[in-house]
Amino acid sequence: MSLGLCTCPVTSDLHNYECKMAYTSLVTPPTLQAGAHAALFFASLPATMTQPSADSLRQRPLYEQVAERLRELIFSRQLEPGAWVDELQLAAQLGISRTPLREALKVLAVEGLVTMKPRRGAYVTEMSLQDVQDVYRLLGLLESDAAAEVAERHDPLALQELAQIHAVLAGQVEQREAFFATNERFHLRLLELAGNRWRMQLVQDLRKVMKLNRHHSLLKDGRLQASLDEHEQLMQALDSGQGEQARQAMTLHFRNGLSAATAGH
């Protein structure tokens, strides 16, 4: 068996990966095996799990790659809110040592996605009702301010770009996952057009935390159409160049989102 070609009768990505792991363990000094195994693990991931691209990920530090993988596990609920993060098991699954895993957990702790507890380890953050209310209110303040700025600048090219994203969103009202992604794309692009990198950074972190909410506002029946209608009102305010109207439209959008996210609490 060579590292590049497995001669076993079984052919699968997983089998080939396991063969490569075994070969690497034989020819690689023990002190270097963790790094070699990690490189093989991330090289074996499907393209959809190595976004934005395999090349760009390979240029990033290992702990950043691990942090991105942990986000995927958290957002997909493979690691549930409130769950204890088993470092030994995760490190074994990823084929890495605990050092880059712990560095990745520190990154996620800063983002609010995990909570570090003394002598107990890391836990996926579980949002309380107060947490949900606080996040929505902050997002409403920050994004309504950005909406007002974009409206007042009234840049035709910027408005055209937002209108195009809005048109895509309108066609996805029956496709929940696609609607989620395009909705976030719209909001983040509006923030980019408004400028202010500090506001952008705050909103990105808050939106990550918002994904922890078990009762996401867009999961409620009828909320997708209501959200689209609110986006339509926002687009009208942006097109008319009315900053205060755009601010109010975005504020209402988040207020209604909060009501949907906390319904039944």
Side-chain angles (χ1 to χ4, degrees):
M1 176 179 67
S2 68
L3 183 60
L5 178 64
C6 173
T7 58
C8 300
V10 179
T11 58
S12 71
D13 290 341
L14 177 60
H15 180 75
N16 289 337
Y17 167 65
E18 290 173 341
C19 288
K20 290 179 181 179
M21 286 282 285
Y23 178 85
T24 302
S25 298
L26 289 173
V27 303
T28 306
T31 55
L32 299 180
Q33 284 181 13
H37 288 174
L40 283 174
F41 170 79
F42 286 106
S44 69
L45 288 177
T48 55
M49 294 172 60
T50 55
Q51 294 296 325
S53 70
D55 290 339
S56 63
L57 277 182
R58 281 194 290 268
Q59 296 170 3
R60 297 164 59 190
L62 179 58
Y63 78 90
E64 290 187 4
Q65 299 180 54
V66 176
E68 185 59 33
R69 178 64 181 129
L70 291 177
R71 291 188 195 98
E72 293 173 356
L73 293 174
I74 291 171
F75 295 153
S76 66
R77 294 297 192 270
Q78 295 179 61
L79 282 174
E80 286 276 354
W84 175 59
V85 179
D86 188 334
E87 294 183 15
L88 286 174
Q89 182 181 21
L90 269 176
Q93 287 177 351
L94 300 180
I96 59 175
S97 71
R98 292 173 70 182
T99 298
L101 177 58
R102 286 176 171 173
E103 291 299 313
L105 288 172
K106 290 178 183 178
V107 172
L108 268 60
V110 171
E111 295 175 353
L113 296 180
V114 301
T115 302
M116 309 298 291
K117 299 183 179 181
R119 297 180 298 278
R120 296 174 62 188
Y123 290 76
V124 180
T125 300
E126 192 165 22
M127 296 185 73
S128 67
L129 175 59
Q130 187 63 54
D131 290 331
V132 175
Q133 292 172 338
D134 290 344
V135 168
Y136 269 87
R137 286 167 182 164
L138 280 173
L139 283 171
L141 288 170
L142 293 167
E143 296 202 30
S144 62
D145 187 57
E149 291 178 15
V150 171
E152 290 166 358
R153 289 177 190 168
H154 207 250
D155 181 342
L157 291 178
L159 295 176
Q160 180 181 13
E161 183 177 357
L162 290 174
Q164 290 171 346
I165 301 174
H166 176 70
V168 173
L169 189 69
Q172 297 172 334
V173 74
E174 301 295 334
Q175 307 167 46
R176 180 171 290 170
E177 293 303 321
F179 191 96
F180 285 175
T182 304
N183 177 67
E184 184 168 58
R185 178 185 164 204
F186 178 93
H187 282 265
L188 293 180
R189 186 56 185 145
L190 185 146
L191 283 158
E192 289 174 345
L193 292 170
N196 192 330
R197 65 189 181 96
W198 303 108
R199 176 173 54 201
M200 184 70 174
Q201 181 175 322
L202 286 170
V203 169
Q204 287 177 324
D205 286 345
L206 288 169
R207 282 187 165 274
K208 288 174 187 174
V209 173
M210 188 168 67
K211 292 178 183 179
L212 293 171
N213 182 25
R214 294 176 188 267
H215 305 285
H216 194 287
S217 67
L218 292 178
L219 294 176
K220 302 298 180 181
D221 289 340
R223 180 57 194 154
L224 295 188
Q225 184 60 56
S227 177
L228 181 63
D229 293 342
E230 291 157 13
H231 272 245
E232 181 62 36
Q233 294 174 14
L234 174 62
M235 285 304 306
Q236 291 175 10
L238 294 172
D239 287 338
S240 65
Q242 298 296 317
E244 189 55 35
Q245 185 179 340
R247 185 191 307 277
Q248 292 175 7
M250 186 68 86
T251 299
L252 178 63
H253 181 51
F254 276 96
R255 186 178 299 136
N256 291 341
L258 173 59
S259 296
T262 57
H265 284 268

